[in-house]
Amino acid sequence: MESDSGKRAKESGVRDRRYSIRYPFAADVEMLELKSGRRVGGVTSDLSLGGCFVCARRTLEVGARVRGTLTRGSQKAEMLAVTTT
């Protein structure tokens, strides 16, 4: 019979395979909340093919749609996103 810790390790391995690999990526972020028109600044903490993790200077409602510009040095990237947690 398998121990509880063995079961958790297997479940964790299965769960981890569902997520994209993330890369550390520091960039300034300027977002426009599309519904309210409010601007929100922040910085990225990491980036993946499935999303970008941003530490914002104020709380955004889960499900808010935003348009953003990521700036790192002289490079800029535009994004459209829906906020999650």
Side-chain angles (χ1 to χ4, degrees), residues 25-30 41-44 54 57 69-73 75 77:
F25 186 84
D28 292 321
V29 181
E30 196 63 40
V43 293
T44 61
V54 176
R57 291 191 179 93
T69 303
L70 282 68
T71 305
R72 183 176 186 189
Q75 299 176 330

Side-chain angles (χ1 to χ4, degrees), residues 19 22 42 48 53 70 81:
Y19 296 99
R22 296 184 191 139
S48 74
F53 293 82
L70 282 68

